[in-house]
Amino acid sequence: MEASLLELKELSNLWKDFETDAEVYVNQMAIEESLGLSQVAPAEVEERPLDRGSSTPLSKQSVKRLLKSLLRSFSEPDFQEAIEKLKQTADASSHLCRDQGYYQLPGRAAMAFAVQEQLLPCFGLPGSRQGVQQMIARCACFLEDEEVVQLMDSVNMKLGMSPSAAVRFRTLAMELK
């Protein structure tokens, strides 16, 4: 099959429609990881070993890697199934949670923390509630970067928030800067 330049341009334009889709993003990351490809350029990789007790703030690239790791973990089918069960339980007791886009969802923080406490130390943050707060504050420092915004919103949507609730959370996080 021979492809023309016009067909390649059309394909490229079609692909742009999917660039902001969270599911496509997660699948692209998984494929690239499986193939041994990395989205982080070699110059951006930190060459120093991880200091698991470091209080050094995360760089923008480290924040992106952390958010990508969280997105991947929260995208796991078992995790997503558990989030859906939490939403169903919340809906059964009141529609207030759904009406607010699941901005607050009972049980979500504990589920998310089970993942965060494992990942945060890999990025120099404590695997504690304080570490989660530090992570959110550090993410807020880079919310002028469109990729950080997209990743943060995608993570929150994987945690069951509606797109509008994810924006509400991001707006609140920006106040932490």
Side-chain angles (χ1 to χ4, degrees):
M1 182 173 160
E2 194 171 317
S4 70
L5 184 57
L6 180 60
E7 289 171 334
L8 289 174
K9 284 182 181 179
E10 286 178 17
L11 181 62
S12 178
N13 287 335
L14 287 173
W15 177 249
K16 287 182 183 182
D17 293 339
F18 295 104
E19 286 179 343
T20 58
D21 185 280
E23 295 295 326
V24 171
Y25 188 78
V26 169
N27 288 331
Q28 177 186 354
M29 287 178 8
I31 290 168
E32 288 179 359
E33 186 176 280
S34 296
L35 295 174
L37 304 174
S38 174
Q39 290 186 336
V40 180
E44 296 171 336
V45 175
E46 297 172 13
E47 294 187 16
R48 61 181 169 77
L50 283 176
D51 179 2
R52 296 190 185 273
S54 173
S55 60
T56 305
L58 294 173
S59 68
K60 185 188 303 187
Q61 291 305 327
S62 293
V63 165
K64 289 178 184 180
R65 286 194 307 273
L66 172 56
L67 288 170
K68 288 174 185 178
S69 295
L70 289 170
L71 184 59
R72 202 172 310 122
S73 295
F74 294 154
S75 295
E76 290 291 324
D78 290 344
F79 191 90
Q80 285 302 295
E81 187 177 306
I83 287 289
E84 285 305 314
K85 285 181 183 175
L86 286 179
K87 290 167 81 171
Q88 290 170 1
T89 302
D91 288 345
S93 63
S94 167
H95 292 288
L96 181 62
C97 199
R98 181 183 342 141
D99 294 345
Q100 295 178 351
Y102 301 101
Y103 182 75
Q104 294 183 356
L105 180 63
R108 173 179 42 219
M111 280 183 52
F113 185 67
V115 173
Q116 293 161 336
E117 73 179 334
Q118 300 299 314
L119 283 176
L120 292 179
C122 298
F123 292 88
L125 295 172
S128 64
R129 302 277 183 207
Q130 182 183 15
V132 172
Q133 291 173 346
Q134 290 173 10
M135 171 193 69
I136 294 168
R138 196 61 192 154
C139 289
C141 293
F142 301 113
L143 286 174
E144 78 286 346
D145 183 289
E146 188 57 37
E147 186 179 6
V148 173
V149 168
Q150 180 184 4
L151 286 166
M152 187 175 208
D153 288 353
S154 295
V155 164
N156 284 324
M157 286 187 278
K158 287 297 181 181
L159 288 171
M161 289 186 197
S162 68
S164 61
V167 169
R168 181 177 167 199
F169 181 88
R170 181 172 24 100
T171 303
L172 181 66
M174 285 193 285
E175 295 175 10
L176 298 175
K177 284 204 276 186

